[in-house]
Amino acid sequence: MLDTILDKINSRLKTEEISGNVELCTFNEYKGFKRRRGIYVIYDNEKVIYVGKGFFKARNHSHYKKAVNEAPYYPDGWMWFKNTYDYNISDWNLVVVEIASEVDITFMEGAIIKDLKPLANDETFKDRLTVV
């Protein structure tokens, strides 16, 4: 799974000539990312769970709360994921890509969602609903 994620990210960065610093960590190991932003991919050994953008520490804390049923709000994609899959967040990992430009961050998030089709993103959840 990791090789596929890295291939898609590196291909997009190269094709679009976007400068990004790619790092790997476990889902619970996002310390030190407080003021860093870009895109991130939450995955386990079998599936891509979520692709997002923003400040890494705050966003991943939000996803942690959703995963352990402590969030005040659950988007449709997360609800579908939680009701469909058995998961263990100790198996989750992150690929974080630090990117300076907000325009590049927004582009990369959409492109990587399109490439990887993460299970818990609302965009891919809504696409599953429209398939007949």
Side-chain angles (χ1 to χ4, degrees):
M1 180 56 53
L2 177 59
D3 289 341
T4 300
I5 293 167
L6 292 175
D7 287 347
K8 296 288 185 183
I9 289 171
N10 287 323
S11 175
R12 288 288 186 168
L13 289 171
K14 183 178 179 183
T15 301
E16 301 300 328
E17 298 178 354
I18 296 172
S19 178
N21 181 33
V22 179
E23 293 182 46
L24 311 174
C25 64
T26 65
F27 183 69
N28 293 324
E29 182 189 46
Y30 51 82
K31 297 176 179 130
F33 292 119
K34 186 171 187 177
R35 299 203 183 276
R36 296 168 62 193
R37 67 184 182 145
I39 67 158
Y40 55 92
V41 178
I42 301 171
Y43 69 98
D44 65 15
N45 290 332
E46 300 172 3
K47 58 195 163 295
V48 175
I49 298 161
Y50 192 84
V51 173
K53 68 177 181 171
F55 288 95
F56 301 129
K57 185 172 182 176
R59 295 298 298 138
N60 288 320
H61 183 71
S62 168
H63 298 312
Y64 175 84
K65 286 188 166 281
K66 290 173 191 162
V68 299
N69 298 318
E70 295 178 358
Y73 167 73
Y74 295 90
D76 292 338
W78 270 102
M79 287 303 298
W80 178 86
F81 175 76
K82 290 171 65 60
N83 292 328
T84 306
Y85 287 92
D86 287 328
Y87 61 89
N88 182 346
I89 63 171
S90 65
D91 295 335
W92 291 5
N93 295 292
L94 288 171
V95 174
V96 296
V97 184
E98 189 173 10
I99 301 171
S101 162
E102 188 63 38
V103 170
D104 290 342
I105 290 170
T106 300
F107 170 81
M108 281 294 292
E109 180 198 31
I112 297 302
I113 288 171
K114 180 181 178 186
D115 291 346
L116 297 177
K117 297 174 181 46
L119 296 170
N121 280 75
D122 275 357
E123 295 86 347
T124 51
F125 169 74
K126 290 174 184 167
D127 286 348
R128 284 190 293 274
L129 293 177
T130 61
V131 174
V132 178

